């Protein structure tokens, strides 16, 4: 089942490398900001990753959801915490979030299977 | 051609079962509301399913569109009625709805092929 | 209380006149399509106006919601029917639709006060 | 300057009362869910309110942002924490979030002026 | 009629000053990027401002539309060019863009009245 | 690698043919408008295609992005110009545009490989 995670990470890594090798400076700086914004500050990393997860879910970006599920999992977010975050996303964003919730749940199960 | 319908329903059923087995109460209640909202009331079921279809189409949620196409088909919505609903969605939501219209049309053809 | 309706219609009429006097043909044709799409066809006008209302509500366009509330009201849509359509919009589109629902309800009350 | 907060709360309270007096059950249940979803669970109230704030900001719903700013403020969220949450929203949601950030900042200043 | 432009610019300047005085670095860097991205490069400034206008219009951000209308006007974009850009936005984004088109047209007329 | 382009064009052509053979007049007229809107006028075709690309990217419609990448490529848009347009889309639309940027970049590389 771990194929979903590997496939996502491989494609993402391959294309990010190409984008960063391209000489568009605005894109490079957005990537750089994307790293800095989730570093510990007034809020801790775990909270920030949950914020990134919910923002991605209500905007219905599957790849962004996967990325933040992976970082949430690394930061020790529990399944119950992830589901509470996703339930707020589904309530605020509506039932159109449900198909993304299904795919998020499947991805989370895979993340747990890899690390167990 | 009926593979699209079966594949959609199988994955949806499998993941919904998992989500409902999870103990997040907000998600369970949203699923429950999702069933109740489309029951006959001041508006009949057919009209409500068309409303669900158009809402899903302008928000560009393919899985939601497929779900409502299937319920519309069961409620006896004709192809011409479905297309008028989708034409309003395409006008209100813009040409970015067209790729979803293509996939909706393909799914509808498959629904008709199953039931003929 | 009828001020909301009058203010909305006056500004809309004034600016539409200017836009149609401008010589951009694409805009003119979109306006023309917008009239045709809601005419009776396989679906009746009332159903189409409800579809336009729900599409406008989930895309959270207050002016579009107001326009369709006004046409729904003219087509004899009851308050209960309007509320069922808006409840589907709120469920599909999420709680971010609620502020638009509040303004829609206020506008509907005003429409009823004018015509009573 | 406290007028923004009062005006927002008064209109919201007046219209919510009307919506809940209306007999649409789906709307009532969505309102009810909206209360339950932000109660303490696996995540604490403060984290959930920050999640609600970010979801509202990326979906660019000013009224929803105001509501969550107010509850965040009550839960003891600091200005620096609020700004970090809003910076994630602005990064994920893009520069179109900036006008909402301006209004959020103004509203937060007003919340602080009331309570100081 | 020039009040719309002045009011928009005054509020925007006042709040941007406050946001930049706040010590959130991610926000500061997004503002900085926002300036750099529209500078001449492979594409000229006029084309980039038209791109910013259309992006703002389809995402239905009135304040962003106003900002880019103002910069387009400064760059010598003609009314016919602005209207062609907005017609593409209205076609791609759908009839929900029309209320924003009305407000854009009004703002453009005001920009022309100031500079004539 | 040219498979992505062929697969996209084949499915698009097949379904567009079906949609145009269907007798829904609103859909036919939207397709017709979609052709006219990008013709040379006050703005040239290349600029209009870049506007279509950015509108598609911020609305995160992969198929629309692919279509405009293809027409941009035919109009002689350089990779640097395409990347500047996409960088504006990513800044305005936020980091949720990045997954679409990755797929756009891959598609562009394929377009270049076909024509070299």
């Amino acid at each position: 089942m771990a194929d979903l995670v590997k496939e996502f990470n491989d494609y993402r890594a391959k294309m990010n490398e190409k984008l960063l090798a391209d000489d568009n400076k605005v894109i490079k700086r957005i990537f750089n900001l994307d790293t800095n914004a989730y570093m510990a500050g007034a809020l801790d990393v775990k909270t920030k990753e949950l914020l990134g997860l919910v923002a991605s879910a209500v905007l219905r970006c599957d790849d962004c959801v996967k990325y933040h599920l992976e970082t949430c999992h690394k930061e020790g977010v529990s399944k119950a915490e992830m589901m509470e975050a996703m339930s707020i996303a589904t309530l605020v964003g509506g039932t159109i979030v449900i198909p993304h919730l299904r795919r998020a749940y499947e991805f989370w199960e895979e993340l747990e299977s890899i690390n167990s």
Side-chain angles (χ1 to χ4, degrees), chain A residues 57-109:
Chain A
V58 296
L59 291 172
R60 299 188 290 127
C61 172
D62 279 333
D63 282 4
C64 314
V65 166
K66 284 177 184 172
Y67 175 76
H68 287 292
L69 285 175
E70 207 165 344
T71 47
C72 280
H73 193 264
K74 276 180 200 157
E75 290 299 321
V77 167
S78 72
K79 195 179 192 177
E81 289 171 326
M82 178 275 289
M83 280 298 282
E84 286 197 4
M86 289 299 288
S87 73
I88 286 177
T90 309
L91 185 65
V92 175
T95 55
I96 44 156
V97 175
I98 292 177
H100 306 270
L101 175 64
R102 285 196 277 264
R103 292 189 281 272
Y105 201 87
E106 185 183 29
F107 198 79
W108 186 268
E109 286 190 325

Side-chain angles (χ1 to χ4, degrees), chain A residues 5-101:
Chain A
V5 174
K6 185 172 162 30
E7 188 186 334
F8 169 70
N9 284 332
D10 286 356
Y11 180 75
R12 187 175 172 278
K14 182 184 77 174
M15 294 314 299
N16 279 3
E17 198 178 325
K18 289 191 182 199
L19 286 170
L20 293 171
D22 190 282
D23 58 355
N24 186 288
K25 282 197 186 114
V26 174
I27 294 294
K28 275 199 238 300
R29 290 176 63 189
I30 293 175
F31 271 69
N32 196 254
L33 253 180
D34 202 26
T35 304
N36 292 342
Y38 295 95
M39 286 177 170
L43 297 171
D44 58 25
V45 176
K46 183 180 153 181
T47 302
K48 286 185 164 187
E49 287 297 338
L50 285 168
L51 295 175
L53 174 64
V54 164
S56 303
V58 296
L59 291 172
R60 299 188 290 127
C61 172
D62 279 333
D63 282 4
C64 314
V65 166
K66 284 177 184 172
Y67 175 76
H68 287 292
L69 285 175
E70 207 165 344
T71 47
C72 280
H73 193 264
K74 276 180 200 157
E75 290 299 321
V77 167
S78 72
K79 195 179 192 177
E81 289 171 326
M82 178 275 289
M83 280 298 282
E84 286 197 4
M86 289 299 288
S87 73
I88 286 177
T90 309
L91 185 65
V92 175
T95 55
I96 44 156
V97 175
I98 292 177
H100 306 270
L101 175 64

